[in-house]
Amino acid sequence: MAELEEELKSQIIESLNLEDIEIGDIETDAPLFGAGLGLDSIDALELIVMLEKFHGIKIDDPSQGKDIFESIKTMAEFIRAQKA
Amino acid sequence: MKVYINGIGNISPQETWDNTKFLKEVVSSDDNRLLCVEPVYKEYISPIKLRRMSKIIKRGIASALIALKDANVENPGAIITGTGWGCWADTEKFLLTMIEQGEEQLTPTAFMQSTHNTVSGQIAISIKCHNYNSTYAHRGVSFERSLQDGMMLCLEGNKNVLVGGFDECTDNFFTMLGRVGAWKKKTINSLDLFNDSQEGSIGGEASIAFIIDSNKTDNSYASIDAMTTFYKPDSDEQVNEKVNEFLSSYNLSPSDIDVVVSGNNGDSKSDAIYNVVLQEFPEATHTGFKHLCGQFDTSTAFGTWLAAKMLKTQSIPSVVKLNDVNKVPSKVLVVNHQNKENYSLQLLSKC
């Protein structure tokens, strides 16, 4: 079950060019924005593209973004729900 | 319209970002391209911001911050940059991704950062500067246009204006310009640039920022007394006429000039004009600089840097000398042209 979470961490590091961050540094439950990784609105756009590119999922309703990208855990749950 | 250069930040193929050094150790290249020697950017920009920046943005911000610190200025009265080609690496990245991914799933960062005014904007954001902000993309006189605008702003009473020039030479850019004959066919060592008889030059890049102001400070490098540009003169003789007109309008003659900084780029098609101009200055030390930074649209900024450093240190590094005349620099004329179209003249003095 944790495979998807690890995959997402790796994709985020690559997509957002987080040079000094390793997979082990990202906590699955930690917030991605503000505290935690400290991502911003441009990163949110990059994450939307990342979901489409690597997982084939388009986010049609932008207001969903806040909940989907809260953490690695919420992203993984969203992907699983979409693929179920 | 006299202004003083009160701070400098220069990230170039030489180790010029350290203002305490002046071409003591020279970097050369054997592949017809001189690329920037990068400082440690984490010393200037936070890692969280750095991760998104391409090299030219890092260089632009770092050179601006070095210049501001050098001038002991926190917030400039204006930020004005010049660039021939803008943020080329980001442009390439965005366009290549469009092709590779069939115009689908395009990421925003490279697109947002591909515009010519990105560097000016990013400098302003990084230091929270809400003052006048502009970028000139005028081919071979892009830096000169930013300098001209900055000088006029100083004349109107603005303080501590940041002006600068930046361009980058990516792999694709170098290849494309090579196809239209911009570079030499056979590779040479960059330090042999002025002795090579082939057509074409060598590629280069830099990001150079100056803090200029109407008032002199303890850190002033030099004054820029005048600057002018002209386009496509009819003949080599007309270039000399323009140079003489420029000097005489400031009550100077060629014999008043101690050092001429000429923009020779080793291209046998277009360097002859420099020889015609230099013949008018037999009593001056002749210097060149493009064997140290390469040819790019804003390379004149490196010539301005060289003139300012020579005037401040009262020395002329042997690596830039083109003749055997030894003068102590007091008045320096910078002469540059690009493709015999865009010409510029700058007059700098010791202060």
Side-chain angles (χ1 to χ4, degrees):
Chain A
M1 286 294 281
E3 199 176 313
L4 177 58
E5 281 81 350
E6 298 301 295
E7 196 183 324
L8 280 170
K9 289 176 188 176
S10 170
Q11 288 163 357
I12 285 176
I13 290 170
E14 187 197 329
S15 300
L16 306 185
N17 197 21
L18 302 175
E19 284 175 351
D20 296 331
I21 305 275
E22 292 180 10
I23 290 176
D25 299 330
I26 305 175
E27 290 179 31
T28 306
D29 289 332
L32 292 172
F33 292 85
L37 284 183
L39 305 185
D40 60 22
S41 57
I42 297 170
D43 295 313
L45 292 170
E46 294 279 359
L47 290 178
I48 290 170
V49 175
M50 192 193 91
L51 269 191
E52 191 181 344
K53 187 175 170 184
F54 291 110
H55 302 278
I57 298 170
K58 264 190 176 177
I59 298 176
D60 295 324
D61 180 7
S63 64
Q64 285 183 293
K66 196 178 173 187
D67 295 328
I68 296 167
F69 297 120
E70 193 180 323
S71 66
I72 295 289
K73 186 183 172 187
T74 56
M75 283 181 74
E77 284 171 356
F78 175 73
I79 292 168
R80 286 192 187 100
Q82 291 293 308
K83 289 188 173 176
Chain B
M1 206 159 90
K2 180 174 178 175
V3 295
Y4 293 90
I5 297 175
N6 294 340
I8 291 178
N10 182 0
I11 295 172
S12 76
Q14 305 301 320
E15 291 184 28
T16 45
W17 72 84
D18 183 347
N19 281 323
T20 64
K21 294 180 181 173
F22 186 30
L23 299 176
K24 278 183 184 163
E25 291 170 16
V26 174
V27 178
S28 64
S29 140
D30 288 310
D31 60 1
N32 284 359
R33 185 162 60 143
L34 280 161
L35 300 179
C36 283
V37 179
E38 316 280 356
V40 178
Y41 289 110
K42 285 177 187 171
E43 291 179 7
Y44 306 99
I45 308 165
S46 76
I48 199 78
K49 288 178 183 167
L50 262 180
R51 68 187 165 87
R52 197 179 284 145
M53 294 174 183
S54 59
K55 280 183 182 175
I56 198 166
I57 300 172
K58 293 176 190 173
R59 288 174 196 154
I61 293 175
S63 61
L65 294 176
I66 293 168
L68 288 165
K69 188 179 177 188
D70 192 34
N72 199 23
V73 169
E74 282 189 8
N75 211 322
I79 297 170
I80 312 162
T81 58
T83 176
W85 291 87
C87 300
W88 192 249
D90 278 309
T91 305
E92 275 179 12
K93 190 176 176 185
F94 178 69
L95 293 176
L96 287 170
T97 311
M98 277 181 78
I99 295 166
E100 285 164 6
Q101 297 183 187
E103 300 185 18
E104 295 285 335
Q105 299 145 6
L106 299 172
T107 56
T109 305
F111 171 65
M112 288 162 54
Q113 295 182 167
S114 65
T115 59
H116 284 57
N117 59 358
T118 301
V119 170
S120 250
Q122 288 286 334
I123 295 169
I125 289 168
S126 71
I127 57 173
K128 298 183 173 59
C129 175
H130 300 283
N131 298 328
Y132 179 92
N133 194 300
S134 190
T135 298
Y136 290 89
H138 290 197
R139 296 190 178 184
V141 287
S142 299
F143 166 69
E144 287 87 335
R145 287 285 170 268
S146 83
L147 179 59
Q148 191 174 35
D149 194 5
M151 290 171 81
M152 288 194 292
L153 282 172
C154 287
L155 194 69
E156 290 171 358
N158 284 268
K159 299 287 178 193
N160 300 314
V161 173
L162 189 152
V163 298
F166 63 88
D167 273 296
E168 63 183 334
C169 188
T170 66
D171 292 347
N172 280 331
F173 180 81
F174 184 71
T175 303
M176 283 191 284
L177 259 68
R179 286 180 192 156
V180 293
W183 319 128
K184 292 180 182 299
K185 291 271 189 293
K186 289 180 186 167
T187 55
I188 60 161
N189 183 280
S190 52
L191 295 178
D192 295 328
L193 184 67
F194 303 133
N195 304 319
D196 187 80
S197 59
Q198 298 176 79
E199 291 188 355
S201 185
I202 59 172
E205 58 181 15
S207 177
I208 307 171
F210 302 91
I211 305 297
I212 59 170
D213 194 276
S214 308
N215 295 314
K216 185 180 162 184
T217 69
D218 293 341
N219 193 54
S220 293
Y221 285 76
S223 63
I224 302 177
D225 302 339
M227 201 275 293
T228 192
T229 60
F230 50 98
Y231 182 69
K232 270 190 184 175
D234 294 333
S235 64
D236 291 355
E237 288 69 34
Q238 199 181 29
V239 176
N240 265 346
E241 284 170 22
K242 292 277 186 187
V243 172
N244 282 313
E245 275 173 27
F246 177 69
L247 291 177
S248 59
S249 63
Y250 294 93
N251 298 318
L252 296 170
S253 67
S255 61
D256 294 313
I257 300 299
D258 305 301
V259 181
V260 181
V261 176
S262 72
N264 299 48
N265 67 3
D267 186 342
S268 57
K269 292 196 304 289
S270 55
D271 266 4
I273 184 60
Y274 291 114
N275 299 330
V276 173
V277 172
L278 289 170
Q279 279 173 13
E280 297 289 305
F281 297 87
E283 297 163 44
T285 303
H286 300 167
T287 63
F289 60 91
K290 289 183 182 170
H291 59 317
L292 303 176
C293 67
Q295 171 67 45
F296 51 98
D297 281 11
T298 48
S299 50
T300 328
F302 197 94
T304 308
W305 169 85
L306 176 63
K309 288 286 279 189
M310 287 193 295
L311 286 162
K312 182 166 184 174
T313 61
Q314 288 291 282
S315 65
I316 304 172
S318 57
V319 71
V320 300
K321 283 186 182 173
L322 299 177
N323 68 358
D324 294 326
V325 177
N326 289 310
K327 294 289 279 283
V328 177
S330 182
K331 287 212 176 292
V332 178
L333 178 70
V334 182
V335 183
N336 190 69
H337 76 78
Q338 180 153 301
N339 302 328
K340 298 179 87 170
E341 291 181 348
N342 297 117
Y343 284 75
S344 69
L345 304 170
Q346 293 175 55
L347 179 66
L348 289 88
S349 296
K350 180 188 168 190
C351 60

